[in-house]
């Protein structure tokens, strides 16, 4: 219930033009926070295999709770819409001063005409209305991305779907 209320408040802020509120700080344990987020969702969905490749050394300037929320939203999307027989892959690293976080899943490709709608609030694919969500997860992920002056892209084909967040987060990190 708390998450639902938080999502609706994030939607309201985004629609009223105030944008996503951030609490940016220097974070020395972003890698641990991301792993914790993955572990929580793995515990809730033990039937899904989630492979992680996370290498973030040093400190990063960001809102760590919002970055964890972004990961959670992308991961829930992969769990709900991906092929349950295929592993989900989470990658996070810092290369050339850019923090990159991606979530990859197998399953039916996202049709090109649908890609433009994915980040709109309350939008859900007609064939997936039974999932029970409000259709806010990817919208909120896009708002977190904008607030961090980053990019959130999706590529999808018959083999896999990849959501990738990238941003320069005032990095003081050791690049991997």
């Amino acid at each position: 219930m708390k998450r639902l209320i938080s999502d609706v408040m994030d939607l309201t802020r985004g629609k009223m033009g105030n944008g996503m509120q951030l609490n940016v700080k220097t974070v020395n344990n972003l890698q641990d926070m991301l792993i914790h987020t993955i572990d929580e969702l793995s515990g809730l969905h033990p039937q899904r295999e989630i492979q992680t490749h996370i290498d973030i050394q040093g400190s990063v300037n960001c809102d760590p709770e919002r970055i964890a929320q972004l990961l959670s939203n992308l991961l829930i999307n992969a769990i709900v819409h991906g092929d349950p027989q295929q592993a989900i892959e989470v990658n996070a690293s810092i290369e050339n001063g850019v923090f990159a976080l991606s979530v990859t899943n197998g399953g039916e490709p996202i049709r090109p005409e649908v890609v433009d709608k994915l980040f709109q609030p309350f939008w859900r694919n007609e064939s997936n209305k039974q999932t029970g969500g409000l259709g806010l997860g990817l919208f909120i992920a896009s708002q977190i991305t904008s607030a961090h002056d980053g990019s959130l892209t999706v590529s999808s084909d018959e083999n896999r779907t990849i959501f990738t967040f990238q941003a320069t987060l005032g990095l003081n990190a050791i690049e991997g």
Side-chain angles (χ1 to χ4, degrees):
M1 183 60 102
K2 180 179 176 184
R3 176 153 181 158
L4 176 63
I5 292 168
S6 177
D7 285 353
V8 171
M9 292 301 295
D10 288 341
L11 169 72
T12 302
R13 283 187 209 100
K15 288 300 212 177
M16 292 183 72
N18 297 332
M20 179 70 58
Q21 300 297 308
L22 295 183
N23 181 19
V24 176
K25 56 188 167 190
T26 300
V27 182
N28 296 315
N29 64 340
L30 185 59
Q31 177 168 311
D32 295 338
M33 293 182 76
L34 296 177
I35 290 169
H36 177 75
T37 300
I38 295 165
D39 289 346
E40 280 186 338
L41 287 170
S42 291
L44 293 172
H45 302 277
Q47 74 282 7
R48 295 304 305 264
E49 178 184 357
I50 302 172
Q51 301 172 350
T52 60
H53 310 280
I54 299 177
D55 184 22
I56 304 168
Q57 305 298 318
S59 60
V60 180
N61 295 323
C62 66
D63 183 330
E65 287 80 19
R66 292 294 191 182
I67 297 294
Q69 181 182 14
L70 181 141
L71 172 58
S72 177
N73 289 357
L74 295 179
L75 196 48
I76 289 168
N77 188 68
I79 289 168
V80 170
H81 300 290
D83 179 352
Q85 303 305 313
Q86 295 185 43
I88 297 167
E89 187 174 322
V90 177
N91 292 289
S93 63
I94 298 169
E95 293 184 27
N96 299 320
V98 176
F99 171 74
L101 171 68
S102 67
V103 176
T104 305
N105 63 272
E108 292 292 318
I110 301 171
R111 296 186 324 272
E113 65 272 14
V114 170
V115 170
D116 291 338
K117 300 175 185 176
L118 289 176
F119 302 109
Q120 294 177 7
F122 301 115
W123 188 86
R124 292 180 289 168
N125 192 339
E126 289 299 319
S127 64
N128 290 319
K129 294 267 183 177
Q130 76 282 359
T131 60
L134 290 176
L136 290 176
L138 292 178
F139 170 75
I140 291 171
S142 72
Q143 294 294 299
I144 293 168
T145 298
S146 294
H148 280 92
D149 293 322
S151 66
L152 181 59
T153 59
V154 60
S155 65
S156 187
D157 60 30
E158 61 280 347
N159 297 314
R160 63 187 181 178
T161 296
I162 307 169
F163 284 87
T164 304
F165 166 76
Q166 293 185 324
T168 303
L169 300 178
L171 306 168
N172 299 313
I174 303 167
E175 294 188 15

